[in-house]
Amino acid sequence: MYLRRESLAGDALSHAIFPGVVLAVWISGENNSWLTYLFGVLVGSLALFLIQSIHQKTLIPKDGATGIVLILFFSVGLLFMGRLQRSGVPLWGVQHVLLGKAATLLPSDLIALAILSVVGSILFFFFQKWLWLEAFDSKFAKHSGLPKNTYGLFLNAWTALVLTATIQILGAVLSAAMLITPSALGHFLSHNPKKLILISVLSACTAAVLAGFISASVPAMSTGALTVILLFLLAFPFFLFHPKKGILMKWIARKKEAGRWKDENTLKQFYN
């Protein structure tokens, strides 16, 4: 979603699947992983459909439509959660869906995450050519005969599924950070697709593993919040100190250039 310039839509999606997760627990009366994934994908796809419809049918820009849908679905999720708490149905860790808590994961959740990882890797391996084309240049992909709507729908549905799978660890509020920050870091350091994926995966895994160890060692430490903070601390030095594209290095280069121009103008005044 980062490469398609839909980062805000990713944030909206992470909030939009929250009511789907709560509704799945409310209906089933238990934390059923596969039912949770199903409701998460359905509600997330509905949110993205509403964003596109509002944007296309009205004069509201896409970021405005995204904000509307984000607030709507998140409010509905909070309403469902309040009703669930008063209904007497066991919460089964739903109270941690907002901010995330790895301790609430069940063995079935870990199995589901492993299956999603394997299936996602296999699908990406076979369809990576078309997925990259859709991500980098959707207009060219459409003119090349690629079924744009099909691949776009697949990408959105898979993103919703992955966010639903990770929402119990990171929380609905912070899931978008793991969706956007690793991709932004990978794209910042390299435009090569394979290197981009490698950097994204390594940065996300490093932050997640360190956060898991720290939250397991320190009482009352939110895994999701810690993961996002560590990921930021990992990415920010690259954004700041990269030799060619870093913020600080660019500022130093501009100061040097300004000084050079000032010296040249001073010399011109002397000779003129």
Side-chain angles (χ1 to χ4, degrees):
M1 300 196 83
Y2 171 81
L3 294 175
R4 297 163 72 191
R5 299 185 179 183
E6 295 180 351
S7 298
L8 186 58
D11 187 29
L13 186 58
S14 66
H15 288 71
I17 60 178
F18 174 54
V21 173
V22 179
L23 190 60
V25 175
W26 195 355
I27 292 175
S28 64
E30 60 179 354
N31 192 358
N32 187 315
S33 299
W34 299 108
L35 186 64
T36 302
Y37 297 160
L38 175 62
F39 274 75
V41 171
L42 291 176
V43 175
S45 301
L46 175 62
L48 291 173
F49 172 76
L50 287 177
I51 291 173
Q52 291 288 347
S53 299
I54 294 173
H55 173 60
Q56 292 174 358
K57 304 296 182 182
T58 67
L59 298 176
I60 299 175
K62 195 165 187 177
D63 55 347
T66 302
I68 293 171
V69 174
L70 185 155
I71 296 300
L72 172 64
F73 275 70
F74 194 65
S75 300
V76 171
L78 292 175
L79 180 64
F80 283 169
M81 191 170 181
R83 294 292 301 172
L84 181 64
Q85 289 174 330
R86 288 191 292 270
S87 66
V89 176
L91 294 181
W92 297 100
V94 175
Q95 67 269 29
H96 300 299
V97 169
L98 280 175
L99 296 176
K101 188 174 183 180
T104 61
L105 288 176
L106 301 174
S108 58
D109 296 321
L110 298 177
I111 294 172
L113 284 171
I115 292 173
L116 286 177
S117 300
V118 172
V119 172
S121 301
I122 293 173
L123 290 174
F124 180 79
F125 177 79
F126 283 106
F127 297 103
Q128 59 177 312
K129 175 183 176 181
W130 306 112
L131 293 175
W132 281 121
L133 186 59
E134 162 65 18
F136 276 105
D137 196 337
S138 59
K139 291 183 179 179
F140 179 75
K142 182 179 180 180
H143 292 301
S144 299
L146 180 73
K148 182 178 182 299
N149 292 334
T150 302
Y151 277 90
L153 180 64
F154 170 76
L155 283 172
N156 292 336
W158 190 260
T159 303
L161 184 60
V162 171
L163 284 173
T164 305
T166 58
I167 193 173
Q168 207 160 310
I169 304 173
L170 296 171
V173 178
L174 303 172
S175 294
M178 290 295 284
L179 186 68
I180 297 168
T181 309
S183 303
L185 178 60
H187 193 238
F188 181 79
L189 296 178
S190 175
H191 294 292
N192 182 292
K194 293 182 180 179
K195 291 182 180 179
L196 191 156
I197 289 181
L198 180 62
I199 294 170
S200 301
V201 172
L202 287 177
S203 61
C205 290
T206 301
V209 170
L210 288 176
F213 278 117
I214 295 174
S215 62
S217 305
V218 181
M221 182 68 72
S222 172
T223 311
L226 188 58
T227 303
V228 174
I229 292 172
L230 290 175
L231 185 59
F232 171 79
L233 294 177
L234 180 65
F236 187 70
F238 290 100
F239 295 146
L240 195 62
F241 299 112
H242 190 276
K244 294 182 179 179
K245 297 183 288 185
I247 298 172
L248 181 60
M249 306 311 290
K250 281 187 174 182
W251 179 80
I252 293 174
R254 283 196 299 268
K255 295 292 287 184
K256 288 182 178 180
E257 185 69 14
R260 188 177 68 83
W261 278 102
K262 183 178 179 181
D263 293 341
E264 288 184 0
N265 290 332
T266 302
L267 289 173
K268 287 178 182 179
Q269 289 178 0
F270 280 117
Y271 282 104
N272 292 333

